[in-house]
Each structure stands twice: as structure tokens, then as C-alpha cells.
Amino acid sequence: MSAPLPQNAMPLAAVIGDPIAHSRSPRLHGHWLARYGINGHYIPLKIAPQDFAEALQMLPRMGFAGANVTIPHKEVALALADHATPLAKRIGAANTLSFTENGIEADNTDAYGFTQNILSQHPDWQPKTVAVIGAGGASRAVLAALLDLGATEIRLSNRSPQRALDLAAEFGPAIRAVAWDERSTALADCDTLVNATSLGMQGHPALELDLNDLPQTAVVNDLVYAPLETPLQAQARARGNPCVDGLGMLLYQAAAGFERWFAHKPEVDETLRQAVLAP
């Protein structure tokens, strides 16, 4: 079990990954710390997989209240935690850790971030028939969120078909694996389309997807936020679909951890978006 946070310590938190230099989380949390006049720090930590377990034991002893966890540590973080929320267990990964007197407490706020990002722009959004592209770690949080929102059919397509089949078997009958070469025709009658792959990200090829069968009323959400408007979003926006970029998911998933570690509920607004997007 991890040591409790020292009394009267300056609050510290971190984001742990490998690599980590690209992360915008320090800028995000730094904006909140300055905005609310909190005398704390949030720092990026590049920790290799073989050092991760040891680092988790050391951080609370060094005064850290908690940490965000990103690639490639999310699944291991869940396994190493002393306690985990039911949602984190269901998703199979943790992205938010709190170091308390009861040990390491793990949560996954990605599902919340995904949901709040879309609802903040489309308050009446009620997904029922959804197409999800990608069956990686981000997709797991998306699937959990969609099911909790009442989605009755989720058409899941992945370049490696077995991963989609595995997730469908794990998450239940509402998930239907769709062959990669049928991903475009699977858009028919969908009210929501989610890209949960890295396709469209800077340095990656674009997601090749024919939107002709997608209703123009369908919400299109790309989890990629660099660039802010991906080729998929540009294509969808040009045909009239309401679009939601991926930045909001990052912002909303961060809020829960910030409140736990720094004892202040932060606001997600346009000022924050501009601070995170600033060059």
C-alpha cells in the first residue's frame, strides 16, 4: 500500500507516459492552477514500462496527490491499484490515479470526457445507432459510455478484425463487429459516428471513409485533436453534419482528477480551450 500524502504538503500531480513530451495536460492543468491561484504543480513524467510499478510507489512518498496515466501504462495502472472504480474495471484501464491513505485509487474518466464533450455542444444528443471506427484503448471507453447512454446498436469496425470481434464478445450483444471493407456502408441509419483511431492525426494517414450513407443529421466526433479539424471532420462538415472535435474529451476527462488532487472544481470553457491550443 502506498504512503499517505504528507500533511501540509504543496499539492503535486503528474501525467505519466512514454513518450510524454507531446502531452497538453501540463498546459491544461497549469492554466487551472494559475486561474484559481492554487500553489501547486502538475508535471509530465516520462517513465518507461519497466519502471512504472516502482514509480507508482515512490510518487506518494514524494508528496504527489495523484497522476494521470497515458500510453502505454493505462492497463498496468489498473492492475497495480489497490482500489478501482467499477467503470475502470469495466473499461479495463485507468487514466486517473489518486494517492490516499487507503492506497492507490484508480478511475477512468475517459468515458465521462467523451460524453460531456458531445453533450456540451449538443445537449439533446441521445445515441441509439452508432458507428465506431477503431477497437483500441480509446474505443473501450467510448463503448462503455455509449452503452450507458442507451445505445442499442454499435457497429464497430477495426483494421484488425479480431480486435473488433473480441470487444463485441466482451461488451455484449449491442456491439456488432463490422468488416473493415464494409465500414462505409455500415454508416446507414446511424445517428452518431466516432473515430477512435489515430487515423487523421498529424503524421498519420487520413481515415478513408465514404460518408454518402451517413445521415446528415448524424453527429460526427473525431477523438483526434491534433489537428483540431481532421480530414474526417472537414468532410463531414462540408456535407452538413454537426461535428465535435476531440479536444473537449481531453478537457473534460481532466476535470475530475484536478478536483480530487487540488480540491477545486475547474471550469471547462473557451478560455481553457484557447490556452491549451496556444502555440
Side-chain angles (χ1 to χ4, degrees):
M1 181 178 292
S2 303
L5 182 67
Q7 292 292 319
N8 302 318
M10 176 186 295
L12 301 174
V15 56
I16 305 172
D18 185 14
I20 201 60
H22 68 285
S23 175
R24 301 199 186 195
S25 291
R27 182 182 298 184
L28 193 171
H29 287 270
H31 171 83
W32 280 333
L33 289 169
R35 179 175 184 174
Y36 302 119
I38 298 172
N39 186 25
H41 296 283
Y42 182 99
I43 61 175
L45 295 176
K46 182 178 183 293
I47 296 177
Q50 64 268 24
D51 299 323
F52 183 67
E54 182 180 3
L56 281 194
Q57 295 303 315
M58 289 300 301
L59 287 176
R61 300 174 194 172
M62 297 166 62
F64 282 81
N68 285 126
V69 181
T70 187
I71 295 173
H73 302 309
K74 288 186 176 185
E75 293 181 4
V76 178
L78 178 65
L80 293 174
D82 299 296
H83 309 280
T85 63
L87 181 58
K89 293 178 181 178
R90 185 170 158 219
I91 294 173
N95 75 324
T96 303
L97 303 178
S98 296
F99 305 137
T100 74
E101 59 184 11
N102 296 318
I104 300 174
E105 298 184 355
D107 195 5
N108 191 305
T109 63
D110 283 334
Y112 171 81
F114 166 76
T115 299
Q116 289 303 121
N117 183 34
I118 298 180
L119 287 176
S120 68
Q121 299 181 50
H122 302 282
D124 298 327
W125 176 63
Q126 295 180 319
K128 295 299 180 184
T129 304
V130 184
V132 176
I133 311 298
S139 182
R140 299 180 66 90
V142 168
L143 295 180
L146 290 170
L147 290 172
D148 288 347
L149 287 166
T152 54
E153 182 180 1
I154 302 174
R155 303 164 186 173
L156 180 64
S157 185
N158 192 64
R159 285 170 290 183
S160 301
Q162 190 59 48
R163 297 193 69 171
L165 290 167
D166 290 344
L167 280 189
E170 180 180 347
F171 278 84
I175 315 297
R176 178 168 68 88
V178 175
W180 184 248
D181 59 3
E182 297 175 3
R183 64 191 182 279
S184 295
T185 55
L187 302 179
D189 302 321
C190 287
D191 54 59
T192 307
L193 166 62
V194 181
N195 175 33
T197 75
S198 59
L199 294 172
M201 185 183 296
Q202 290 175 355
H204 294 257
L207 171 63
E208 295 182 3
L209 195 62
D210 186 341
L211 301 183
N212 284 337
D213 289 334
L214 182 71
Q216 285 184 297
T217 54
V219 173
V220 178
N221 176 216
D222 200 325
L223 303 192
V224 171
Y225 60 84
L228 198 59
E229 180 165 88
T230 63
L232 172 64
Q233 285 188 300
Q235 180 186 359
R237 200 181 305 278
R239 66 191 301 275
N241 286 91
C243 294
V244 180
D245 64 53
L247 181 62
M249 180 174 174
L250 172 71
L251 306 183
Y252 281 105
Q253 67 79 29
F258 186 92
E259 184 175 4
R260 293 170 195 171
W261 307 324
F262 300 110
H264 190 104
K265 185 175 182 178
E267 186 176 357
V268 176
D269 56 14
E270 186 59 28
T271 301
L272 176 66
R273 281 179 61 89
Q274 294 306 315
V276 173
L277 290 172

